Amino acid sequence: MDDTIFALSSGPPPAGVAVVRISGPAVRSALERLVDSVPEPRKVSLRFIKRSDGEILDQGLVVYFPGPASFTGEDVAELHLHGGRAVVAGVIDALGRLEGLRAAEPGEFTRRAFLNRRLDLTEAEGLADLVAAETEAQRRQALCQAGGELGVLFERWRERLIRARALIEADLDFSEEEDVPGSVVAAALDEARALAEEITRYLDDGRRGERIRDGAEIVVLGPPNAGKSSLVNVLARRGVAIVTPEPGTTRDLIEVRLDIGGYAVTLVDTAGLRAASGIVEAEGIRRAEARAETADLVLWLEPAGDEPRGLPANIAAPVLRLGSKADLVDSDSERGRVSGAFDVDISAETGQGIALLLERLEVFLRASFTGGDSVVVTRARHRQGLTACVEALGRSQDAGDLELVAEEMRRAGDALGRITGRVDVEDLLDVIFREFCIGK
């Protein structure tokens, strides 16, 4: 934290504009060396950027943000340069030659913002998700989290728990004081029980936030030569899977990331289900069936003119039955369409039914990812912390001994505080001494 760090904060050159960010106690002196003086705070200045020997490297825009009202909470400067490789390399080299400055480590600007209380861990994670967002749903969720809405919810729960813990601690340590109202254990346990019930309801969300962040998984399943790989290629709009007339071409799982209706999807092509003809194909079929067991949705493909088969017994996910090769049904008099057997008839060759299939997928994804609370759990780490908190609160109800009750509530508070990165005994002491006026 004593070092001043710098890094290229925009994409790699060449680019129209490159942004170099500097943060730390030596920002002002660095600006005086690079651009001759420190610009007026939060106002864009057009300056020549120079080496220490006076050689001009570029002419660009300079912005100075004095701490603590900056992203990192320290003095911060941004240099907006022309995005050529030589320009960026020259400025980075010039910064590295200044005393007290060093190149930033990955994530170090955000880490300093967290350490300086400019954002909590959930906001930092939301910021990372916002940078990595590929779809509209991911962007909206990440923006909500980066804006602090998830942290506000968790912090509200933490404050309630601190209050309950303060009641217990006051009863333990200050029971003789006039300002402590009799036995407050029952009130503290009631609050702990209510909080546990609220968090439990919140966790019962079908892992919606994690699925938006990681994407839904849709597995394409069916007999050999049903057109699974052809469908995957059509939906991906590129040749990701090999397609041949030979049954059993696909042996291993093939994954492709898609954006369907603003939602991230991992589409999985699988081996055709049949009596395997060899060890490799048998393993491919085993992997296909295992993947279908954990899928969010299964697309079951069979030729539209065939009598439908029974689905594998181990599929727990919703299933959309697709009649493939629909273009061949109309042109071959020996193949009659099986009326009502399939949800959608499609043809990868002509595109028939593909638009309708995408509409059905979008409806499914929207129904799966919307509804309930707008602020949702987005990471397994959050869910684990909340679950640990609920379990500790549950144990506090049956602990009996007051010191054991206090210990379980402390564990619950620590589990909750670790989610946002704020675990501080001073918060507990503040509540005790402020609300009970001990020793006045």
Side-chain angles (χ1 to χ4, degrees):
M1 296 288 286
D2 293 332
D3 295 336
T4 296
I5 58 175
F6 62 88
L8 177 66
S9 292
S10 55
V17 176
V19 179
V20 174
R21 178 179 285 169
I22 316 167
S23 178
V27 164
R28 291 180 62 90
S29 62
L31 289 174
E32 289 170 352
R33 297 287 298 276
L34 288 172
V35 300
D36 294 332
S37 64
V38 179
E40 189 176 348
R42 293 178 182 80
K43 289 194 176 180
V44 178
S45 300
L46 179 64
R47 298 291 183 94
F48 286 107
I49 294 96
K50 306 175 184 179
R51 295 187 192 274
S52 57
D53 61 5
E55 179 187 356
I56 295 175
L57 295 168
D58 192 22
Q59 185 179 32
L61 301 177
V62 181
V63 191
Y64 170 56
F65 304 92
S70 68
F71 173 70
T72 62
E74 306 170 324
D75 285 353
V76 171
E78 289 183 357
L79 309 178
H80 295 244
L81 316 167
H82 294 94
R85 289 189 177 91
V87 172
V88 173
V91 172
I92 292 294
D93 178 69
L95 286 167
R97 293 176 183 274
L98 297 179
E99 184 178 354
L101 272 69
R102 64 168 174 83
E105 297 176 0
E108 191 170 3
F109 287 96
T110 306
R111 183 183 181 89
R112 291 193 175 198
F114 166 71
L115 292 175
N116 289 322
R117 298 270 181 153
R118 295 296 295 169
L119 72 173
D120 65 26
L121 287 182
T122 63
E123 291 171 308
E125 290 168 333
L127 187 60
D129 289 347
L130 188 59
V131 172
E134 297 175 334
T135 68
E136 272 297 296
Q138 289 174 331
R139 180 192 63 77
R140 288 193 297 267
Q141 178 170 279
L143 191 61
C144 173
Q145 184 170 332
E149 294 188 34
L150 192 61
V152 167
L153 175 63
F154 293 165
E155 187 64 16
R156 187 167 66 244
W157 286 339
R158 194 177 76 95
E159 289 173 358
R160 289 172 57 185
L161 188 50
I162 288 172
R163 165 66 180 168
R165 289 178 60 196
L167 293 173
I168 297 293
E169 297 291 346
D171 194 272
L172 277 171
D173 298 334
F174 305 109
S175 58
E176 301 302 321
E177 295 287 341
E178 295 180 358
D179 296 306
V180 178
S183 176
V184 292
V185 176
L189 289 175
D190 287 345
E191 178 66 4
R193 187 182 305 109
L195 181 58
E197 291 173 354
E198 185 174 332
I199 296 175
T200 300
R201 288 194 299 270
Y202 177 77
L203 288 172
D204 187 20
D205 63 349
R207 298 181 181 271
R208 182 160 50 91
E210 291 129 297
R211 290 165 69 198
I212 289 177
R213 180 176 178 269
D214 298 331
E217 186 166 280
I218 300 178
V219 174
V220 184
L221 214 60
N225 258 13
K228 299 184 297 298
S229 296
S230 296
L231 173 61
V232 169
N233 287 344
V234 168
L235 294 178
R237 298 183 180 179
R238 55 193 174 93
V240 296
I242 297 174
V243 177
T244 73
E246 180 183 344
T249 301
T250 302
R251 299 295 183 90
D252 207 349
L253 303 176
I254 298 175
E255 300 183 6
V256 58
R257 292 281 289 182
L258 302 178
D259 180 343
I260 298 179
Y263 299 98
V265 169
T266 298
L267 190 66
V268 185
D269 188 17
T270 63
L273 303 186
R274 66 174 180 179
S277 60
I279 296 176
V280 175
E281 186 178 9
E283 176 61 18
I285 292 172
R286 186 197 67 78
R287 293 186 182 188
E289 292 176 336
R291 199 61 174 266
E293 290 180 9
T294 59
D296 294 298
L297 177 68
V298 169
L299 300 182
W300 177 264
L301 260 72
E302 295 179 72
D306 293 358
E307 287 291 337
R309 308 184 186 189
L311 298 175
N314 58 349
I315 297 180
V319 177
L320 197 61
R321 301 192 69 137
L322 307 180
S324 61
K325 306 181 181 181
D327 56 309
L328 300 181
V329 175
D330 296 333
S331 60
D332 189 342
S333 59
E334 295 181 2
R335 291 169 56 89
R337 188 179 303 277
V338 181
S339 177
F342 303 102
D343 297 305
V344 183
D345 289 335
I346 63 169
S347 169
E349 182 69 23
T350 66
Q352 175 186 342
I354 298 300
L356 178 58
L357 170 60
L358 288 171
E359 289 179 12
R360 295 288 295 270
L361 292 178
E362 186 174 342
V363 168
F364 169 81
L365 294 169
R366 188 183 303 113
S368 300
F369 291 156
T370 58
D373 294 322
S374 59
V375 183
V376 292
V377 173
T378 61
R379 294 178 182 245
R381 185 182 74 84
H382 305 165
R383 190 172 296 277
Q384 291 165 359
L386 292 174
T387 300
C389 175
V390 170
E391 290 173 349
L393 290 175
R395 292 192 298 269
S396 73
Q397 302 295 314
D398 305 319
D401 185 86
L402 200 56
E403 291 186 355
L404 294 179
V405 173
E407 173 62 15
E408 293 299 344
M409 286 194 177
R410 183 194 63 78
R411 291 180 178 179
D414 287 350
L416 203 52
R418 279 193 294 270
I419 300 176
T420 59
R422 293 177 179 169
V423 182
D424 193 349
V425 70
E426 292 299 325
D427 293 333
L428 182 62
L429 296 178
D430 286 346
V431 172
I432 292 176
F433 286 98
R434 182 180 67 248
E435 296 197 8
F436 294 110
C437 307
I438 304 300
K440 72 173 181 181

